[in-house]
Amino acid sequence: MPMLSNFIRTDRLIEAHQPWPRIVVDADAWISLAEALRDGHLTLLGLWGERNSVYMALLDEVDGAVCVASLEGLEGAYPSVARHHPPALRLERTVRDLTGLEPRGLPDTRPWLDHRRWDIRFPLGEKTLRSSEAAPYEFLPATGESLHQIPVGPVHAGIIEPGHFRFTANGEAVVRLEERLGYVHKGIEALMVGADLDKALQLAGRTSGDSTVAYAYAFSRAVEAAFGLEIPGRAVWLRALMAELERLANHLGDIGAICNDAAFSLMLAHCGVLRERVLRVADIAFGHRLMRDRIAPGGVVANLEDNGITALRELLAEIRRRFPALIELYDNTASLQDRTVGTGRLVPELARQYGAGGYVGRASGRDFDARRALRYLPYGELAFDVPVLHEGDVNARVWVRIREVESSLSLVEQILDRLPAGPVRIDIPENGEVREGMAMVEGFRGDVLVWLRLAGNTVERCHLRDPSWFQWPLLEAVIEGNIVADFPLCNKSFNCSYSGHDL
């Protein structure tokens, strides 16, 4: 039975840019929504705050309805959602770090993004405080015989972003993993405040460098929702083309990297070649290897010419020629299968509870893809499969990526065959009104959400939610019972974003 319809009433409605209404609720209704999340009737898409308000983006998976619920006029505190629904825990710790609002009943009161070294506290709140001397971070205790701790990071041996992982182990078996992130907090949401659309777009596209298309895509669609704009058809299709190229490049890179962490570097080399081919063709087609700053409110800033179309068709032919042999190599290498099959299993119940997106959720039975669920253009007019497996192990996450590579190849071909002619961008109108918009697009990791409030063409508040927020906690769960040496494999199979999480 649909749940959100109980809350979306005319007297609560603030913005009705369908399908993204915002409803203002009181504390009792806020708690009722938290209990609905706990009971599995709703899925949490995001939770953020500012000064005297907190917001939740919610999905009703029964009817596909999405809304934002806000609790306003707060005086320093609000009822904790995490008290009822654990996936909100890190989000509420972050809200407190950024705004100073206290979630009453929060089960874990330790800071999250704030490592107590900031010069200014509460960058999105009303208070400005000098940071006190950093206090030691208290990791959760673990008791038992023959247990020892292994601290890893935040500086790692490879060229990756910083994060601290605290293992509690019995010999080689992991009893508990606890993460500490926040080392690459950039203050993006605070920098957004007061920015014009061009500056805000640049910030959005740099939230997580491997998802620059997805973030620019979601930000631009949120702006257009706020203004009620329809962009040119050619721009709609070119955006999807860029998104599928970004998905291809990242999935190919991930498949090789996962195999490399299982000591099978041959796959890394071959997949790396294909990934490089995708990036070079993206440069030919759109003038930038990562297609950064190519999507903007109103459309796209780079058109696709004949040489780009030719290069893309050649790329499709090359990947289709070479990729099947790599799949066979992966599937028939016994030593590789021994490392991936059954390792780091995420049970479907946790995937559903956390609303895990992308290959993490789909490898554990959560059949959700924003392209299909929301049917935003042009995906509502395209044919594609959403691969769903139930084993939830490293091998399943590899196979979801493999099937999504095949799906993206088909989507790129369909887009090229049906790409309409015409202009690629319209102007954003000058308007002094305050208005809100939200959008969610399917990035390669999963659904990327952007909510914003504009005063004219200036950003008053913008929240960007990476799918990694709901995937990082699950990595802690899947490593339990595995050996320490399998952590790199599990970690790479998730490939959560540090930068996208740390904002």
Side-chain angles (χ1 to χ4, degrees):
M1 178 178 178
M3 183 74 186
L4 282 180
S5 57
N6 296 335
F7 291 89
I8 301 176
R9 303 197 311 258
T10 303
D11 60 320
R12 288 173 167 165
L13 204 60
I14 298 297
E15 292 288 339
H17 298 303
Q18 296 297 330
W20 312 118
R22 179 162 73 83
I23 55 174
V24 177
V25 298
D26 58 20
D28 289 339
W30 181 265
I31 294 171
S32 295
L33 288 169
E35 292 172 342
L37 289 167
R38 176 200 62 198
D39 296 338
H41 300 309
L42 298 175
T43 300
L44 182 64
L45 296 179
L47 193 155
W48 63 97
E50 59 173 338
R51 295 183 179 175
N52 303 314
S53 303
V54 287
Y55 306 83
M56 277 195 292
L58 302 162
L59 167 66
D60 189 332
E61 297 196 30
V62 173
D63 60 1
V66 176
C67 84
V68 174
S70 60
L71 183 59
E72 303 179 0
L74 302 176
E75 296 183 0
Y78 66 97
S80 170
V81 176
R83 180 181 181 182
H84 306 278
H85 188 57
L89 181 60
R90 293 180 178 182
L91 294 153
E92 291 196 315
R93 290 166 69 183
T94 297
V95 167
R96 189 187 58 185
D97 287 353
L98 296 180
T99 69
L101 291 172
E102 289 287 345
R104 288 193 301 269
L106 183 68
D108 186 344
T109 59
R110 294 173 297 171
W112 187 239
L113 290 185
D114 184 359
H115 287 211
R116 294 296 185 255
R117 295 186 181 275
W118 296 355
D119 288 334
I120 297 177
R121 296 281 308 284
F122 312 142
L124 293 173
E126 296 177 333
K127 301 177 182 178
T128 301
L129 301 175
R130 298 295 298 179
S131 175
S132 60
E133 185 176 350
Y137 188 80
E138 297 293 336
F139 286 92
L140 298 176
T143 58
E145 294 185 4
S146 304
L147 297 182
H148 63 283
Q149 289 195 337
I150 307 171
V152 178
V155 178
H156 301 281
I159 305 174
I160 64 174
E161 293 166 289
H164 183 89
F165 302 93
R166 182 66 60 95
F167 297 87
T168 301
N170 184 336
E172 279 293 299
V174 178
V175 176
R176 167 183 283 164
L177 166 64
E178 186 177 356
E179 303 157 352
R180 189 186 187 195
L181 303 176
Y183 293 92
V184 283
H185 170 72
K186 304 168 292 299
I188 281 183
E189 294 195 356
L191 292 170
M192 285 272 196
V193 177
D196 61 29
L197 291 181
D198 289 340
K199 178 63 175 178
L201 173 67
Q202 288 184 334
L203 289 167
R206 286 151 179 80
T207 304
S208 185
D210 54 11
S211 302
T212 184
V213 170
Y215 274 97
Y217 198 170
F219 178 84
S220 297
R221 291 188 67 241
V223 171
E224 291 149 10
F227 281 95
L229 296 178
E230 291 188 12
I231 66 170
R234 185 174 179 85
V236 170
W237 289 71
L238 288 177
R239 285 178 173 183
L241 177 57
M242 293 184 208
E244 296 310 315
L245 289 175
E246 182 173 78
R247 196 180 329 276
L248 271 174
N250 284 302
H251 280 348
L252 289 168
D254 279 0
I255 292 167
I258 293 167
C259 294
N260 188 59
D261 279 342
F264 196 68
S265 57
L266 182 62
M267 281 287 288
L268 175 67
H270 282 288
C271 288
V273 169
L274 292 182
R275 177 180 182 274
E276 176 64 19
R277 287 285 295 121
V278 175
L279 297 179
R280 292 186 181 188
V281 169
D283 192 23
I284 294 170
F286 297 109
H288 194 283
R289 286 166 56 87
L290 299 179
M291 297 164 287
R292 180 174 292 158
D293 300 329
R294 297 298 173 240
I295 295 177
V300 299
V301 299
N303 205 346
L304 180 64
E305 307 297 342
D306 289 343
N307 65 325
I309 294 175
T310 300
L312 285 165
R313 292 196 183 279
E314 291 173 350
L315 174 69
L316 295 179
E318 180 179 354
I319 296 176
R320 283 173 169 157
R321 184 175 66 252
R322 299 175 62 177
F323 192 56
L326 297 180
I327 299 172
E328 185 176 355
L329 180 62
Y330 170 79
D331 201 30
N332 293 324
T333 301
S335 61
L336 188 54
Q337 294 291 299
D338 183 62
R339 294 293 308 280
T340 62
V341 175
T343 301
R345 184 170 185 268
L346 173 64
V347 297
E349 293 77 16
L350 274 179
R352 286 195 297 272
Q353 181 186 20
Y354 277 75
Y359 44 78
V360 173
R362 290 193 281 273
S364 294
R366 184 171 184 255
D367 188 6
F368 179 82
D369 185 307
R371 295 172 297 177
R372 184 188 61 189
L374 305 181
R375 296 182 63 81
Y376 57 91
L377 293 175
Y379 290 104
E381 300 178 14
L382 295 168
F384 62 99
D385 294 324
V386 177
V388 178
L389 300 174
H390 297 272
E391 293 80 3
D393 55 5
V394 171
N395 181 58
R397 291 187 282 275
V398 171
W399 274 104
V400 169
R401 286 175 167 96
I402 289 171
R403 296 306 177 215
E404 289 191 4
V405 165
E406 297 167 345
S407 179
S408 288
L409 293 174
S410 172
L411 285 167
V412 169
E413 186 170 50
Q414 292 179 63
I415 292 169
L416 292 176
D417 289 344
R418 300 175 59 183
L419 187 64
V424 296
R425 192 176 184 187
I426 59 173
D427 292 331
I428 302 298
E430 294 287 340
N431 191 308
E433 295 181 9
V434 175
R435 53 185 69 217
E436 297 177 10
M438 188 170 79
M440 187 164 64
V441 304
E442 188 72 20
F444 88 97
R445 280 191 183 90
D447 42 286
V448 172
L449 180 142
V450 173
W451 173 89
L452 50 76
R453 183 175 66 247
L454 303 174
N457 296 72
T458 300
V459 175
E460 279 196 352
R461 179 75 172 95
C462 179
H463 174 68
L464 311 107
R465 196 271 296 147
D466 193 89
S468 299
W469 277 100
F470 299 116
Q471 295 168 349
W472 275 118
L474 298 176
L475 179 60
E476 293 182 341
V478 305
I479 192 59
E480 290 185 13
N482 290 261
I483 62 174
V484 174
D486 279 339
F487 173 70
L489 199 57
C490 296
N491 188 22
K492 180 51 68 176
S493 74
F494 271 63
N495 191 18
C496 300
S497 174
Y498 297 81
S499 182
H501 172 281
D502 289 354
L503 301 174

